Amino acid sequence: MIKVKVMRPIFHPYTEERDFVLYPYHIFHLRLFYRRLGMKDKVMDYFAYVDLYRLGAERGDDFIPLEEWNVDERKLMEPLVDYEEAEKKAFESAITWGNSRVVSWWLPRIEVVREEMAYKVFWIYERNGEKLIMDSLDGKEYSLSAMVGKNGRSCKGPFCR
């Protein structure tokens, strides 16, 4: 068993018999400092959720609440992206977002206020004889057989690359 930080699940399947897999993210709270000519400098906060499997970044409204879980290591998906790549992706995402809101001749100075490696929970369960997987943060359900396919090759869902 290993202790990990998990994004607090919002949605749960309506069944007691469920399993889960934990999907890796790095969460950043960044503060952007923009210098502006003839105007007061601008300071903005940015929350980046960097997918450590596919190297994508999403903007959040806040730092999501985290919980500590003791889990079997086999429940964890292995991150494919290291900290430096994740931080670079978060900075790029923050700059793109900030530059669309602030006019400045300079790139912003960026400060990391908080950062955490955490996992998103994907519930695995069965309903009416069909295996399903549910995203614990948005409640979307995916058919496991549609994701994996009969030959193990087709993929339509959150774990597809």
Side-chain angles (χ1 to χ4, degrees):
M1 298 291 271
I2 185 170
K3 186 178 278 193
V4 296
K5 292 187 180 177
V6 173
M7 297 178 203
R8 183 181 304 146
I10 298 169
F11 295 93
H12 298 81
Y14 295 112
T15 177
E16 292 300 316
E17 305 234 356
R18 60 183 178 230
D19 200 1
F20 61 88
V21 65
L22 299 178
Y23 191 94
Y25 276 85
H26 210 103
I27 307 167
F28 293 90
H29 174 190
L30 305 174
R31 188 155 292 139
L32 289 76
F33 299 88
Y34 281 95
R35 289 180 47 206
R36 301 189 300 171
L37 287 175
M39 300 174 75
K40 185 177 174 192
D41 291 350
K42 183 82 170 171
V43 179
M44 301 185 313
D45 288 312
Y46 184 81
F47 300 92
Y49 292 80
V50 180
D51 182 325
L52 297 181
Y53 198 75
R54 296 180 291 187
L55 190 58
E58 296 178 54
R59 185 182 69 81
D61 295 328
D62 205 345
F63 206 97
I64 193 163
L66 303 177
E67 302 176 341
E68 283 193 348
W69 287 14
N70 287 316
V71 299
D72 184 331
E73 290 181 47
R74 294 175 292 180
K75 303 280 186 192
L76 303 176
M77 289 182 66
E78 199 64 35
L80 300 179
V81 176
D82 64 19
Y83 177 82
E84 288 76 25
E85 290 176 295
E87 183 183 53
K88 181 179 177 185
K89 189 66 168 180
F91 280 31
E92 289 172 357
S93 177
I95 289 168
T96 300
W97 175 83
N99 286 351
S100 70
R101 285 155 179 74
V102 175
V103 176
S104 175
W105 285 97
W106 302 274
L107 285 174
R109 179 175 59 85
I110 301 176
E111 169 187 305
V112 177
V113 177
R114 179 179 174 195
E115 54 86 18
E116 298 276 353
M117 201 285 203
Y119 292 88
K120 180 195 269 192
V121 179
F122 282 90
W123 302 110
I124 302 170
Y125 56 100
E126 194 170 313
R127 185 173 60 219
N128 300 328
E130 181 182 16
K131 283 245 184 206
L132 298 170
I133 188 163
M134 175 190 281
D135 184 323
S136 68
L137 296 182
D138 67 13
K140 290 182 182 171
E141 293 180 321
Y142 304 91
S143 167
L144 204 52
S145 62
M147 287 174 57
V148 176
K150 293 187 183 356
N151 60 8
R153 300 186 79 105
S154 66
C155 190
K156 298 173 187 159
F159 300 112
C160 301
R161 295 191 85 198

